[in-house]
Amino acid sequence: MRVVHVTADALGPWVPQLRALEAGISYPIDDGRDRFELSHGGGYHGFFSKMGEAHFLLALEGDALLGCVAAVRKPVRVGGAEVPAVYLADLKVAPAARGRGVPARLLFRALSVWARSPRRLSWRFAFGAAMRGARGDVMRAAKGVTPMKLASAVARLHVYFERPEVLAALKVTGAPPPPAGAGLDLSPEASTEVVSTAGLKDFVLASTGAPWPLVHLPRGPSGWGASHAAALARGGRALVQQGAPGPACFALDDRLEAERHFLEAQGVRPGAVCTVYGLSMTRRMATVPWVHLATSDI
């Protein structure tokens, strides 16, 4: 097994195998009543390149792809200050190669690439997002000697999937205002009410063979305005006006209890859990009161 480092502009020769790898992996949805496969589009890297400078580590045996991970260099904001970061995503291993230490090999190579160019590829915070399934999340692969064990959980996010018309009809009177303290915003570039990843990252449903018409409400606390509920209502109204069927997707940190309880009182409840794991090289991360990651980046 060998691991190669490829930048987005050189990924082309590997795209057919990357697309075949993701087409062979499905995920449950709606309490197991349906499943979906991911599709990152024709060029594969577009979803990642849109976030920042994208790099890919590919595990190969001969010319056969055994696994991959993407690393996106992007700024995050913590305590109101910008911090250079790297977002590790899209960790996949071919079913036949599982149990062979592929994730560890990929991440050790990622560290090696960074160590050879620490200034050009500088970062102060590394993080990844892991959706929780019936068997836990991707950290169950952290066995033996692996860089995955350097990371720790920095946030548990509740992920919501709701119909736009429900959000548009939210009662916002009495909604809690945005949290007073500056937290950790992992998606500070989110500046619009609604985002679609159609064509860049599609969730193809097994039941229909077509992409799930998922849209995202990506803004964090600094972009909510009067309240989180008000931001959701604005996004819901925009989607209704567009005729978008949804569902609309967004996430809330577990620590934002007032916001979660306000939504629950109106029948809006989460449908999934995502854990953010991180490795920090700065003390700024020590006491953040909340973490935001747009679902359009997960």
Side-chain angles (χ1 to χ4, degrees):
M1 186 194 309
R2 61 193 174 98
V3 177
V4 299
H5 167 221
V6 181
T7 53
D9 60 346
L11 191 63
W14 308 107
V15 166
Q17 287 198 69
L18 285 165
R19 287 179 57 78
L21 174 60
E22 69 178 359
I25 302 173
S26 66
Y27 308 84
I29 198 172
D30 194 18
D31 291 328
R33 287 185 285 271
D34 205 347
R35 301 187 70 84
F36 68 86
E37 295 175 352
L38 292 175
S39 173
H40 280 95
Y44 198 86
H45 71 85
F47 172 78
F48 307 99
S49 296
K50 190 175 181 179
M51 285 189 278
E53 180 186 327
H55 298 254
F56 299 85
L57 286 303
L58 309 177
L60 304 168
E61 192 164 67
D63 291 329
L65 180 69
L66 302 184
C68 64
V69 68
V72 182
R73 295 182 65 241
K74 56 174 286 184
V76 301
R77 292 194 69 80
V78 56
E82 189 173 281
V83 173
V86 60
Y87 179 25
L88 297 171
D90 200 42
L91 176 60
K92 292 191 180 81
V93 178
R98 291 172 188 168
R100 295 179 56 186
V102 174
R105 292 286 295 271
L106 289 167
L107 295 175
F108 273 124
R109 181 58 193 275
L111 288 173
S112 172
V113 169
W114 168 71
R116 287 200 294 270
S117 303
R119 290 188 178 181
R120 189 178 69 81
L121 301 177
S122 64
W123 56 270
R124 301 290 291 166
F125 183 60
F127 69 99
M131 297 297 293
R132 188 175 70 193
R135 298 173 56 205
D137 62 31
V138 69
M139 290 301 283
R140 69 178 184 270
K143 299 175 182 177
V145 179
T146 171
M148 295 175 75
K149 292 184 177 179
L150 297 174
S152 59
V154 298
R156 188 173 76 148
L157 305 181
H158 297 265
V159 182
Y160 294 73
F161 306 89
E162 192 54 85
R163 290 175 294 137
E165 58 268 27
V166 171
L167 299 180
L170 281 175
K171 296 178 177 66
V172 301
T173 301
L184 170 58
D185 194 340
L186 303 175
S187 303
E189 73 286 354
S191 59
T192 59
E193 299 286 358
V194 178
V195 168
S196 170
T197 61
L200 296 177
K201 184 175 182 178
D202 288 318
F203 297 75
V204 182
L205 295 176
S207 59
T208 65
W212 196 22
L214 189 68
V215 288
H216 304 271
L217 307 180
R219 286 183 168 176
S222 62
W224 287 350
S227 67
H228 180 240
L232 294 180
R234 289 195 308 270
R237 288 193 296 269
L239 291 170
V240 169
Q241 290 171 3
Q242 295 170 18
C249 185
F250 60 93
L252 273 175
D253 192 319
D254 187 64
R255 287 165 284 195
L256 297 178
E257 293 184 1
E259 285 80 2
R260 293 192 293 105
H261 292 162
F262 188 82
L263 293 178
E264 186 172 359
Q266 298 189 58
V268 177
R269 297 178 177 84
V273 172
C274 174
T275 302
V276 178
Y277 294 95
L279 171 62
S280 178
M281 302 292 186
T282 171
R283 294 180 181 177
R284 290 180 179 273
M285 307 292 178
T287 57
V288 293
W290 52 264
V291 173
H292 170 67
L293 176 63
T295 54
S296 53
D297 288 348
I298 297 175

